[in-house]
Amino acid sequence: MKTAAQLVRLKSVQNQQVHSIAPEQTVLEALQIMAEKNVGALPVIEGGQVVGVFSERDYARKMVLKGRSSVGTTVRTIMSTPVITADSQQSIDRCMAVMTDSHLRHLPVLDNGELIGLLSIGDLVKESLVEQADLIRQLEHYIRGH
């Protein structure tokens, strides 16, 4: 079973880079970054620490439905807090359990308090399917005596 850090390193080079935003930036700036980078969430960083997560879900529920303006609203106003994170050495299964139990789609991964990546529920599902397929192949080889 892989760890969160191993899965972050396995992501394509393009998807390994963590795009983030400051809490005082506007929601419009966050949306522009998300669209440009094709990501669904941004960790919110202040003083080198993850203080929140801004996601498409936050935008839909806390902006659109409440009639707020993306130009005049800061990320701090609608970011999700407190931040639930994964330690770099947590297993993929543990990360998936945390995300499922907390109804999260994105999980910041920290190594000694430093943000090293952001895992999506899709990343975890994909890795689980790969691991299950490998296990099935191993069992089939064992049963056949190869």
Side-chain angles (χ1 to χ4, degrees):
M1 175 74 41
K2 289 184 178 69
T3 65
Q6 289 171 320
L7 187 53
V8 166
R9 285 192 293 272
L10 284 174
K11 292 174 80 168
S12 69
V13 174
Q14 177 184 349
N15 291 330
Q16 277 182 2
Q17 184 179 5
V18 182
H19 307 287
S20 63
I21 193 150
E24 298 312 319
Q25 288 182 265
T26 67
V27 169
L28 180 61
E29 290 173 297
L31 293 171
Q32 289 169 334
I33 293 169
M34 291 166 64
E36 178 185 322
K37 304 301 182 185
N38 195 30
V39 296
L42 296 170
V44 183
I45 308 293
E46 184 174 48
Q49 300 295 311
V50 180
V51 295
V53 173
F54 175 79
S55 69
E56 293 167 335
R57 182 187 288 177
D58 293 320
Y59 179 72
R61 293 181 180 178
K62 299 172 189 173
M63 292 291 298
V64 175
L65 290 178
K66 295 192 178 196
R68 292 180 168 154
S69 167
S70 300
V71 176
T73 304
T74 62
V75 169
R76 181 185 306 281
T77 306
I78 67 163
M79 67 185 185
S80 293
T81 59
V83 183
I84 298 171
T85 61
D87 180 82
S88 62
Q89 297 310 304
Q90 280 183 330
S91 71
I92 299 303
D93 281 348
R94 180 70 189 125
C95 291
M96 191 173 291
V98 166
M99 292 178 81
T100 301
D101 293 344
S102 302
H103 305 285
L104 301 175
R105 294 180 184 165
H106 301 90
L107 186 65
V109 179
L110 305 180
D111 188 30
N112 294 321
E114 182 180 333
L115 181 66
I116 63 166
L118 187 69
L119 294 177
S120 70
I121 194 69
D123 295 331
L124 297 176
V125 168
K126 180 179 174 184
E127 182 58 28
S128 288
L129 291 173
V130 166
E131 288 184 3
Q132 287 176 5
D134 287 345
L135 180 59
I136 289 168
R137 269 192 297 281
Q138 290 172 15
L139 290 171
E140 287 174 341
H141 284 262
Y142 176 76
I143 290 168
R144 292 183 184 140
H146 294 110

